[in-house]
């Protein structure tokens, strides 16, 4: 009797166990590791990456989690981040395409001198849209969650920069190849460095300043080392850098459908807008903090800005020619980019 009862219960329980197993297979828990180069105190970490990760966790009811590892905690150097995602060393990375000059040529269009808007909200909509229509193939070995660009960059330096002549011989850290070429055209001595190396390079006298947006300044305590900050009025602005949030393709393809839907819902223009908000909101906060400290904040006059634009126009022309040699229609891409900036920037001050 006992044996028959056990057999019957087992037979009744078996379908339920199979159903539970199938349900579990459809909604497994997954933890993704996100690696980036700035410290945990940085605005991007605190105001974009962490809230983005928390939003994904909440919308997946805790089944999809993103662990964020700042300051290269998982090893390697910032220029290696993209390959860490491509090769599956980590699941997701945040990086600058400019860390690997020439590897992603099309996205450089937004980084050309005096092309981008002064607001990250505009630039980010443009870059994400262009990724979807123009840049996708260059990033085909990863899954791009979103692409964007920051607001107007600032020249942070030991001595004042009010005129083009003030840049002569000044050793300035640049973030992208095109920003470096623009600085060289203006008479500076550009030096390419990942952001984490800037404080040590300043302390050792390797550089005289760094070209970064306001948002980054406090994360590397730049306002404590450099007391002069030159910014640009209006749009287009001198330079911006682009970014990508890239994921290992195999990891993405292997996600359960319901978890993939949560990630997708927090990708593209949605994520790009979240990122842009950090620069547009935190930039003025940092600028005011630096102003209260007593540092000199210099705004180039409209006339001087036009001089800089004329001087750096050959950088734009050279890029267009170089793109032609790589079978990329640089002139058409530049025209489309400017049209999108004008469209999305209409009414944005």
């Amino acid at each position: 009797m006992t044996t028959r009862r056990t057999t019957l219960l087992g037979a009744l329980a078996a379908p339920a166990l199979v159903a539970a197993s199938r349900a579990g297979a459809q909604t497994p828990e997954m933890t993704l590791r996100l690696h980036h180069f700035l410290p945990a105190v940085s605005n991007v970490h605190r105001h974009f990456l962490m809230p983005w990760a928390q939003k994904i966790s909440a919308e997946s009811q805790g089944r999809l989690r993103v662990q964020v590892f700042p300051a290269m905690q998982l090893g390697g150097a910032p220029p290696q981040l993209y390959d860490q995602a491509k090769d599956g060393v980590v699941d997701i990375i945040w990086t600058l395409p400019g860390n690997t000059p020439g590897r992603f040529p099309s996205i450089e269009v937004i980084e050309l001198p005096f092309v981008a808007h002064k607001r990250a909200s505009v630039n980010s909509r443009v870059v994400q849209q262009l990724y979807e229509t123009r840049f996708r193939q260059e990033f085909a070995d990863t899954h791009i969650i979103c692409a964007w660009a920051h607001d107007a960059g600032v020249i942070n330096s030991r001595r004042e920069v009010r005129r083009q002549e003030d840049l002569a011989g000044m050793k300035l850290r640049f973030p992208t190849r095109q920003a470096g070429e623009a600085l060289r055209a203006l008479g500076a001595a550009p030096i390419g460095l990942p952001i984490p190396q800037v404080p040590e390079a300043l302390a050792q006298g390797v550089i005289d300043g760094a070209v970064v947006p306001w948002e980054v300044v406090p994360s590397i305590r730049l306002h404590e080392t450099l007391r002069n900050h030159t910014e640009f009025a209006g749009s287009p602005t001198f330079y911006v850098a682009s970014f990508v949030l890239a994921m290992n393709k195999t990891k993405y393809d292997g996600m359960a459908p319901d978890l993939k839907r949560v990630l997708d819902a927090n990708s593209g223009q949605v994520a790009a807008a979240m990122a842009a908000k950090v620069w547009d909101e935190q930039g003025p906060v940092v600028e005011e903090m630096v102003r209260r400290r007593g540092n000199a904040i210099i705004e180039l006059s409209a006339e001087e800005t036009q001089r800089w634009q004329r001087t750096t126009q050959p950088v734009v022309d050279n890029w267009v020619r170089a793109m032609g040699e790589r079978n990329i229609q640089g002139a058409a891409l530049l025209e489309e980019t400017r049209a999108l900036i004008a469209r999305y920037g209409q009414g944005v001050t």
Side-chain angles (χ1 to χ4, degrees), residues 104-110 126-140 147 333 337:
F104 308 103
S106 294
I107 205 169
E108 290 180 339
V109 68
I110 196 72
V126 171
V127 174
Q128 177 61 34
Q129 181 168 327
L130 288 173
Y131 163 72
E132 294 168 5
T133 59
R134 290 278 202 158
F135 306 157
R136 192 181 295 273
Q137 188 56 40
E138 290 180 7
F139 295 92
L333 178 55
T337 301

Side-chain angles (χ1 to χ4, degrees), residues 13-212:
L17 289 172
V18 171
S21 173
R22 285 175 178 169
Q26 291 170 355
T27 56
E29 291 192 356
M30 175 180 276
T31 298
L32 302 172
R33 298 191 305 165
L34 192 163
H35 200 202
H36 73 87
F37 57 94
L38 283 183
V41 298
S42 65
N43 286 313
V44 175
H45 179 90
R46 293 186 299 132
H47 297 297
F48 170 47
L49 296 175
M50 290 304 296
W52 180 77
Q54 291 159 5
K55 189 169 184 285
I56 285 173
S57 178
E59 292 180 9
S60 68
Q61 299 176 331
R63 296 194 307 276
L64 179 59
R65 292 185 292 271
V66 179
Q67 287 183 300
V68 184
F69 294 87
M72 303 304 299
Q73 287 179 355
L74 299 180
Q80 298 170 331
L81 278 167
Y82 185 82
D83 283 331
Q84 288 185 354
K86 178 177 74 73
D87 298 336
V89 177
V90 299
D91 303 311
I92 303 173
I93 57 88
W94 167 48
T95 192
L96 290 79
N99 276 341
T100 51
R103 184 172 182 179
F104 308 103
S106 294
I107 205 169
E108 290 180 339
V109 68
I110 196 72
E111 300 170 347
L112 291 167
F114 298 103
V115 167
H117 199 275
K118 67 177 181 178
R119 297 294 181 209
S121 60
V122 176
N123 297 328
S124 296
R125 290 184 72 182
V126 171
V127 174
Q128 177 61 34
Q129 181 168 327
L130 288 173
Y131 163 72
E132 294 168 5
T133 59
R134 290 278 202 158
F135 306 157
R136 192 181 295 273
Q137 188 56 40
E138 290 180 7
F139 295 92
D141 48 11
T142 63
H143 171 75
I144 298 297
I145 294 171
C146 68
W148 72 99
H150 64 62
D151 59 339
V154 180
I155 297 178
N156 309 273
S157 54
R158 296 193 195 278
R159 66 175 189 259
E160 290 187 356
V161 175
R162 295 183 180 274
R163 301 169 65 246
Q164 180 177 322
E165 290 76 11
D166 296 331
L167 289 171
M170 188 180 290
K171 295 176 290 184
L172 291 175
R173 174 267 176 185
F174 67 89
T176 69
R177 181 170 65 154
Q178 299 309 317
E181 290 303 316
L183 288 169
R184 182 174 288 108
L186 290 161
I191 296 178
L193 288 174
I195 277 286
Q197 296 178 20
V198 168
E200 184 179 356
L202 282 168
Q204 295 181 352
V206 175
I207 56 176
D208 303 312
V211 182
V212 300

Side-chain angles (χ1 to χ4, degrees), residues 207-239:
I207 56 176
D208 303 312
V211 182
V212 300
W214 282 119
E215 176 276 329
V216 176
V217 166
S219 66
I220 53 175
R221 307 179 75 158
L222 211 55
H223 57 301
E224 298 177 13
T225 310
L226 303 171
R227 297 188 60 83
N228 299 288
H229 312 270
T230 299
E231 55 185 6
F232 303 82
S235 297
T237 193
F238 175 49
Y239 105 97

